[in-house]
Every structure is written in structure tokens, then in C-alpha cells.
Amino acid sequence: MSVGIDDISFYSSGMFLPLATLAEHNGEDPDKYRIGLGQERMGVPAQDEDIVTLAANAARPLINSDNRENITTVLFATESSIDQSKAAGVYVQRLLGLGSNCRIVELKQACYSATAALQMACGLVARKPESQVLVLASDIARYGFDTPGEATQGCGAIAFIVKANPRLLAVHAETGCYSEDVMDFWRPNYMDTALVDGKYSTIIYLKALRQSWKNYHEAGGLDFGDFSRFCYHLPFTKMGEKAHRKLAVTNGVSMDVELLEKQIGSGLLYNRQIGNSYSASLYIGLLSLLENDQEDLSGQNVGLFSYGSGCVGEFFSVTVQPGYKQYSRRVQHVDMLETRQELDYEGYASLFSHTCPKDGGEHYFPSEAAGHYRLAGIHDHKRIYTETGD
Ligand code: COA
């Protein structure tokens, strides 16, 4: 029996800022963002969107009358948590109409936690093969205006179902981890934006990659040459290129532009359009690979590196299942990205400076969200989620 990802979908907000607009405002060369960071657009959440609505919108296409009652666990990975106590997944359970015989929990470790969720889900399914686990990862990346990280903001959510004998990806048991107590990126409870030592974070990322790869290999994992494609955590897509070049050098493989494009190019497309989505970013990249690669990847191995500042890294691998293409939602995902509303700088600044009020008062938000679910307001300290009918 294999265990892995049976179905997968993603969602980002209905509004975006072109990074060329941000470059013009910040007095930067647009090529710094387009080429230097590898980013074109940044997803900007509406006032009535948060990690719950993004995740519920991502998961909605995956839920049907066949699996609604069979999902026994919901794991919600995020580093933009909305509550210190209640798991965001409990709201999603109600919005999606999932059965009540279900365990739900939230996981945190910067951008890494969705990988912990995936590994836990595989363990649960291996122990009870008839069960299905819904993994959600949803984040809004905020660094603040006029910070070096500003151009790498964004938002997005991924949802996938982990099952026995999956239709899309079988996850291998071998895995390699690396953890170290470092302060490259963190967000104290009293702050809405992350604190980051950006250059240091890229150095630690690459160190964690080397060490995780070594540990993966020691655990009996595949060789570099056994993989046809690689996906990396993508705080900005250029980071994936840097990581892949580093892994190639580590393995004595010479990496030219053509091989780089073949091995990671199709996995960068969605992230380039939405920006950083923290915990979701590796998996939105994986989805981008499955939906956009021109080759039939059936039977081929994909290597994945997950990184969360602070830090935890994990290298693991999957095999693409024959027939995976027939379950693609590419048309819907591309349509979602292409029908987003473009913002000017003032529109972005106004939306991004909106953070959920903390005064304990009554708040109702304008109806802006493009998806099926929205955060209508806050009443009596409780978030009120509604359906838009779209
Ligand atoms: N044309 C093409 N490339 C250009 C350019 C231009 N006109 N101007 C600059 N660049 C390149 C730089 O050479 C650099 O490339 P390199 O890293 O390959 O050398 C890249 O664009 C970024 O420029 P840099 O000056 O280093 O940017 P920065 O100091 O503004 O910050 C980060 C970059 C990533 C540190 C910053 O965006 C950040 O802190 N991000 C958040 C943290 C993060 O994402 N960490 C990643 C690990 S989780």
C-alpha cells in the first residue's frame, strides 16, 4: 500500500499588486524584483479575507458527498494564526460541512509546518488505511512598507487530501531533517509584521538544505540523479534557483540554465504570481509543477525541500502516479489568477495597512472577497464567516 496526496487545490486572493508598480513607488529598478527576486505579482488580501477564508476556498473543490464524512483529521498549518487557542481548522470544518467525528489541530513552525502535517497525515493513514486526512496550509505574508521584505509579501492557501493508494503522489518513507535554534525570521505575538534578517535567512535556508539532504541520503533516500524534478520552499522564486544550484553543486552535478529550467521551472509559475504564501508555498509550487509541466511525469520522482525559519528543514520525496493529469484543476487555477483585480499602489497600501481590529469592538467589513467564503465581521470577539454565493 502506498500513502500520499490524492487530490490538491489552491487559492489566492482576488486582488494583486504588480511588482513593477511597487518598484516604481520604491524607486527601484523593476528588474530587481522581476529578475533579482523572480517575482511578478503579489497577492493582496481583501479586508474580508483571512487564513480561514483562503483555506476554505482552497479546500472547497476537494470536498464532495463521497468524502465529506470520511475525513477523520484536519491539520491546519499556518504562521498567521488568528487565535491563540482555537484551531483555524475548526471554522473550516463548519464552512465545508465536514463530519463531526473528526480531530482538528493547528500546527506552527514558520513556513515548514505543512510538511509536518503531511508526514503526520501519512502516519495516520498508514495506521488506519480507510481514513482520509485533509491538510490545509494558509498564510498572509507581511513584512511592512519600505522594508527589504516588502517585495516578497503575498498570500495563498493550499489544501490536499492524504489517502491510501493516492491518485497523484506517493510519499516516500525516507526523509531528512535539520533543526537549529536561529533568529533569521520571527514574529512576536504583539506584532502584525515579521521581523527578519533577510540575508541571514537565505544563508540558513541553504545550510538547512545541505544538512537535510545529507540526512535524507543517510536515511536511504534516492540519489540526485534519480529525480526528474525538484520543488523548494519559495519565499521568492529566485530562492528556488539558488537552492537548486546549491544542491547540484553539493552532488557534483553541473547545472546549466536549460537543466535548471527543466528541473524546477514549471514549479515556479504560480508562486511568481502570488508572492510568498509561507507554509503553503512549497505545495503551491508542487501543484504548479503537476499542472504546468509539459512532460508526462508519471512514475517520475520529485525531490522536495521544506524550510521554516527559526529553523526546521526537511528533504523528502514523492513518486508521481500514472494518470495524475486527468485530475488536474489547471483551468480553474489559471482562471482564478487571471481574473484577479489589479491594484494601484494606493489601493495596495490601503488594503495592506488594514489588519484585523484588536479593540474588541463590533466590526463589519466591506464585501470585497472574490471567493466563496468571507469574513463578514467580528461580533462579541467572535469572527463571523459567511458564504458569498460565488
Ligand atoms: N536587475 C537584476 N537583478 C537585480 C537588480 C537588477 N536591476 N538589482 C538587484 N538585483 C538582484 C541582486 O543582485 C540580488 O540577487 P542575488 O541575491 O542573486 O545577488 C537580488 O536582486 C536581490 O537584491 P538585494 O539587494 O539582495 O535585495 P534586498 O537587500 O532588498 O533583499 C531579501 C532581498 C531576500 C533579503 C529580502 O527580500 C528579504 O528580506 N525577504 C524576506 C526574507 C526571505 O524571504 N528570506 C528567504 C529565506 S526564508
Side-chain angles (χ1 to χ4, degrees):
M1 180 187 83
S2 64
V3 177
I5 297 178
D6 187 71
D7 204 356
I8 184 167
S9 177
F10 94 105
Y11 187 77
S12 185
S13 74
M15 288 180 267
F16 74 91
L17 177 72
L19 287 194
T21 306
L22 183 65
E24 191 184 346
H25 178 269
N26 288 355
E28 296 278 6
D29 182 342
D31 280 350
K32 173 174 173 182
Y33 298 159
R34 192 174 63 83
I35 300 169
L37 296 175
Q39 291 301 126
E40 285 175 26
R41 294 174 170 184
M42 172 202 298
V44 181
Q47 288 188 62
D48 55 345
E49 287 183 305
D50 67 5
I51 55 161
V52 169
T53 64
L54 292 173
N57 282 315
R60 188 164 179 256
L62 308 184
I63 305 303
N64 53 53
S65 53
D66 290 339
N67 64 13
R68 187 166 271 117
E69 294 291 331
N70 295 336
I71 291 170
T72 50
T73 303
V74 178
L75 301 175
F76 195 119
T78 187
E79 59 176 304
S80 350
S81 193
I82 54 163
D83 197 286
Q84 289 285 12
S85 174
K86 179 166 174 160
V90 184
Y91 297 103
V92 178
Q93 179 213 19
R94 178 177 60 76
L95 292 173
L96 297 178
L98 302 180
S100 47
N101 295 124
C102 185
R103 71 168 70 80
I104 306 172
V105 71
E106 190 169 305
L107 293 92
K108 174 177 70 185
Q109 177 20 57
C111 305
Y112 163 75
S113 57
T115 301
L118 170 63
Q119 298 294 2
M120 287 175 190
C122 288
L124 287 168
V125 172
R127 191 168 166 197
K128 219 173 158 204
E130 69 280 14
S131 61
Q132 299 187 29
V133 178
L134 175 62
V135 175
L136 304 165
S138 179
D139 268 310
I140 296 169
R142 287 178 188 279
Y143 293 94
F145 300 113
D146 300 324
T147 61
E150 183 180 15
T152 66
Q153 297 176 137
C155 64
I158 193 91
F160 54 84
I161 290 179
V162 175
K163 256 181 89 175
N165 302 318
R167 295 177 301 176
L168 306 182
L169 300 160
V171 178
H172 304 163
E174 297 77 20
T175 171
C177 293
Y178 178 77
S179 299
E180 183 182 346
D181 182 6
V182 285
M183 298 301 280
D184 59 332
F185 174 111
W186 68 106
R187 185 169 66 83
N189 285 344
Y190 50 83
M191 293 189 73
D192 290 318
T193 50
L195 295 166
V196 60
D197 186 341
K199 301 269 189 233
Y200 181 50
S201 73
T202 62
I203 293 165
I204 295 290
Y205 176 119
L206 296 176
K207 178 181 178 187
L209 168 62
R210 278 195 316 275
Q211 297 294 337
S212 301
W213 169 259
K214 185 166 169 275
N215 189 231
Y216 169 79
H217 220 239
E218 287 162 357
L222 300 170
D223 291 328
F224 188 92
D226 296 325
F227 293 106
S228 76
R229 301 289 186 274
F230 293 81
C231 293
Y232 295 89
H233 166 51
L234 298 172
F236 49 95
T237 67
K238 186 72 174 291
M239 192 68 224
E241 291 185 25
K242 285 175 192 272
H244 196 51
R245 287 186 189 280
K246 175 65 76 181
L247 194 63
V249 169
T250 306
N251 286 280
V253 174
S254 104
M255 183 60 54
D256 58 24
V257 176
E258 208 176 308
L259 186 60
L260 186 83
E261 176 58 26
K262 181 177 177 192
Q263 292 195 324
I264 69 166
S266 50
L268 307 180
L269 300 178
Y270 291 159
N271 301 63
R272 197 172 277 148
Q273 301 301 323
I274 64 168
N276 198 352
S277 54
Y278 290 160
S279 59
S281 99
L282 169 65
Y283 297 91
I284 293 176
L286 175 62
L287 179 60
S288 179
L289 168 75
L290 293 180
E291 293 187 342
N292 294 298
D293 205 285
Q294 296 302 308
E295 265 183 49
D296 182 355
L297 300 175
S298 298
Q300 299 192 31
N301 298 314
V302 180
L304 297 104
F305 176 63
S306 179
Y307 176 75
S309 289
C311 74
V312 178
E314 182 163 346
F315 193 96
F316 64 105
S317 49
V318 299
T319 301
V320 182
Q321 299 302 286
Y324 72 100
K325 271 186 188 278
Q326 60 186 290
Y327 309 109
S328 168
R329 293 195 169 81
R330 183 177 184 281
V331 173
Q332 292 89 322
H333 289 144
V334 170
D335 182 62
M336 186 248 303
L337 291 176
E338 285 181 354
T339 55
R340 291 180 300 169
Q341 179 196 334
E342 179 176 336
L343 295 169
D344 58 15
Y345 181 82
E346 287 68 31
Y348 147 74
S350 149
L351 278 175
F352 232 92
S353 38
H354 164 84
T355 51
C356 218
K358 296 189 180 80
D359 58 6
E362 298 279 306
H363 295 279
Y364 294 92
F365 304 122
S367 187
E368 296 170 334
H372 186 77
Y373 302 104
R374 64 181 294 265
L375 171 64
I378 301 178
H379 166 72
D380 197 17
H381 300 280
K382 297 168 190 157
R383 289 191 182 221
I384 305 159
Y385 294 102
T386 57
E387 301 191 27
T388 62
D390 288 343

